[in-house]
Structure formats: C-alpha cells, structure tokens
Amino acid sequence: MSDKVLIVDDDPSVLKLLEKVMHSNDLETTLADSGLAALNCIKNNTYDMILMDVMLGDMEGFEVIKKLRSQGIQTPVMIVSGRNEDYDSLYGLSLGADDYITKPFRPLVLGAKVKALIRRYKNQVLDSSDILECGPFSYNTSTMRFYNKGEEIILSSKESSLMLLFLKHPGQVYTKEMIYEHVWGNSVAVDDNAIMVYINRLRSKIEEDRQKPAHIVTVRGLGYRFIP
C-alpha cells in the first residue's frame, strides 16, 4: 500500500505540480485548497505526510500546523512556501513543522525529502518497546505519546525523535552533528538554528525554568546531555 500525502495549497497549478511529483514517487495524494479543507481532511483521514503552503486563502498554513499539534496529531509536516525568509522557516519549525522547502523547488529534491521524512517517522514508531521510562518521563512508542510525571506533553514528530534520543541514552553527550544526523538524517550540513529551535521547544515543555535547564543541559563546546 502506498504512503498517503495531503497537499495543501490554494494555487491550482501548484497543487497539480505537487501531485505530479508525489505520484512520480509512488505516493497517493489528497488535495486541499484551503486551511479549513485541510483540517476537515485530517479530521476524517490518516496521512503519512502533509505538504503545507504558508499563504492560504482563509488562514495561514502556520495556523493549521498549530491546530494539528495542539490536537496531538504528529503527522510529519513540510512547509512548501514561496517566501524565502529565515523567519518563516524558523517560525514554522517552532510550531512543530518538520522541514521547509521554498518555491521554486527541484522535484527530485522534494520527492527525496518527503520519502525520507516518512521513512524516519515510521522507523521512529517501530523503534524500541512500547513503554520507555526514564526518571519522571515516559514515552509510549505505540501511541507516540509522551508524559512528564503522568501528565501528557504534546510533541511534534521531530520533538519526539529528539526526545526519544535523549530518553534512550540518558547522561550521554550528543554533539550537534550527532543530533542532526539522528533527527534530520544528515550530518554533513548541520543547521545550528534548527537544533536550537527544537532544544528550546523541548525545554519549554519539560523544564521548570527554561533559562536554567535541569534536564536538557548544554555541555559547552560539545553539545547536550539529558539528565532525567
């Protein structure tokens, strides 16, 4: 069975182009031309990937991502936008998007990125036993739900991947290269900003004081260590 991709864009020509790229990669597609249409699709169906435009007719794609993550939906989201600005990419990542690509894009690159994201997300679900416990934290890998002292904390797919890395190896120092290779699947072109975005997001969710973290600790000059 082919993986399913939801494509969200209010430009019919872009929808057709994205659909063509996905079909060339043996992926099934559903098309949505507005934020509301996308939310309705996600409410009634399950997808392996979402391609999200930023500027939609009825709302910004960022708002759609917010709603998904607030509902605990962790389907990988890639922003596909014509706005080539660092703010947009960092803001999208901070809301829980998993990747960002700008228009015009190279079809081969987009297809490879989408398939890689789907593969990593599925491997993440299958990797390890159902319940992983470490200090006050627990993670149910079958339901992709994370808890701190029994209280559920909503994580995006990349936050989940990073949190699982820490939970499985408490006390180990991870360099930025190691983190980027594990979470993004690439250790050659490390994006320091992307790593900092997700470290800060996790800290804001699990630390009592994000400015003085007790769990995700910076090891100066090296990287990060997780102390449960």
Side-chain angles (χ1 to χ4, degrees), residues 83-101:
R83 304 195 315 201
N84 188 11
E85 300 177 14
D86 287 342
Y87 168 80
D88 283 342
S89 61
L90 292 176
Y91 183 56
L93 293 173
S94 73
L95 294 177
D98 298 277
D99 207 343
Y100 190 103
I101 192 168

Side-chain angles (χ1 to χ4, degrees), residues 132-139 147 166-170 226-228:
L132 182 64
E133 295 184 344
C134 189
F137 306 105
S138 62
Y139 194 105
Y147 301 86
F166 287 145
L167 289 172
K168 291 177 182 177
H169 306 282
F226 178 66
I227 304 174

Side-chain angles (χ1 to χ4, degrees), residues 128-175:
S128 80
S129 59
D130 286 351
I131 304 295
L132 182 64
E133 295 184 344
C134 189
F137 306 105
S138 62
Y139 194 105
N140 188 320
T141 58
S142 64
T143 62
M144 301 293 288
R145 295 192 173 197
F146 172 67
Y147 301 86
N148 181 7
K149 298 177 182 177
E151 179 181 352
E152 183 175 4
I153 307 296
I154 303 300
L155 302 179
S156 71
S157 62
K158 270 197 168 55
E159 290 168 357
S160 294
S161 185
L162 181 55
M163 196 69 236
L164 277 173
L165 177 66
F166 287 145
L167 289 172
K168 291 177 182 177
H169 306 282
Q172 179 173 333
V173 175
Y174 277 93
T175 65

Side-chain angles (χ1 to χ4, degrees), residues 44-58:
N44 299 309
N45 301 276
T46 300
Y47 299 97
D48 300 288
M49 181 77 192
I50 300 171
L51 294 178
M52 181 71 63
D53 186 25
V54 172
M55 299 299 293
L56 301 171
D58 55 346

Side-chain angles (χ1 to χ4, degrees), residues 2-225:
S2 299
D3 293 320
K4 298 179 180 179
V5 178
L6 174 64
I7 304 173
V8 188
D9 200 298
D10 63 350
D11 186 331
S13 63
V14 175
L15 278 176
K16 290 181 180 179
L17 175 59
L18 290 171
E19 182 180 41
K20 183 178 180 180
V21 174
M22 294 303 102
H23 287 177
S24 70
N25 284 274
D26 299 319
L27 299 168
E28 293 184 15
T29 58
T30 299
L31 308 182
D33 60 4
S34 68
L36 181 58
L39 291 172
N40 286 333
C41 288
I42 295 164
K43 180 180 179 181
N44 299 309
N45 301 276
T46 300
Y47 299 97
D48 300 288
M49 181 77 192
I50 300 171
L51 294 178
M52 181 71 63
D53 186 25
V54 172
M55 299 299 293
L56 301 171
D58 55 346
M59 67 179 77
E60 285 196 336
F62 295 139
E63 186 64 28
V64 179
I65 296 171
K66 279 185 187 178
K67 291 180 182 294
L68 299 186
R69 297 309 186 222
S70 69
Q71 296 169 14
I73 297 172
Q74 298 181 28
T75 305
V77 177
M78 178 184 290
I79 295 173
V80 185
S81 175
R83 304 195 315 201
N84 188 11
E85 300 177 14
D86 287 342
Y87 168 80
D88 283 342
S89 61
L90 292 176
Y91 183 56
L93 293 173
S94 73
L95 294 177
D98 298 277
D99 207 343
Y100 190 103
I101 192 168
T102 56
K103 307 171 188 175
F105 51 82
R106 293 167 59 190
L108 286 176
V109 172
L110 176 60
K113 279 178 169 282
V114 168
K115 298 197 81 170
L117 266 177
I118 293 174
R119 183 172 61 251
R120 286 200 295 275
Y121 179 71
K122 289 189 171 183
N123 287 341
Q124 178 183 307
V125 173
L126 295 174
D127 190 17
S128 80
S129 59
D130 286 351
I131 304 295
L132 182 64
E133 295 184 344
C134 189
F137 306 105
S138 62
Y139 194 105
N140 188 320
T141 58
S142 64
T143 62
M144 301 293 288
R145 295 192 173 197
F146 172 67
Y147 301 86
N148 181 7
K149 298 177 182 177
E151 179 181 352
E152 183 175 4
I153 307 296
I154 303 300
L155 302 179
S156 71
S157 62
K158 270 197 168 55
E159 290 168 357
S160 294
S161 185
L162 181 55
M163 196 69 236
L164 277 173
L165 177 66
F166 287 145
L167 289 172
K168 291 177 182 177
H169 306 282
Q172 179 173 333
V173 175
Y174 277 93
T175 65
K176 291 180 180 180
E177 289 77 13
M178 294 166 69
I179 291 173
Y180 207 71
E181 181 174 12
H182 178 84
V183 178
W184 281 265
N186 184 357
S187 62
V188 178
V190 176
D191 188 335
D192 288 350
N193 286 333
I195 293 173
M196 282 302 304
V197 165
Y198 283 97
I199 290 292
N200 286 333
R201 280 178 60 86
L202 281 181
R203 282 175 171 167
S204 69
K205 293 181 177 183
I206 71 171
E207 303 282 2
E208 291 188 11
D209 185 350
R210 186 175 62 178
Q211 303 303 320
K212 298 178 181 179
H215 298 297
I216 303 176
V217 179
T218 300
V219 181
R220 194 173 300 277
L222 291 176
Y224 301 93
R225 175 189 286 120

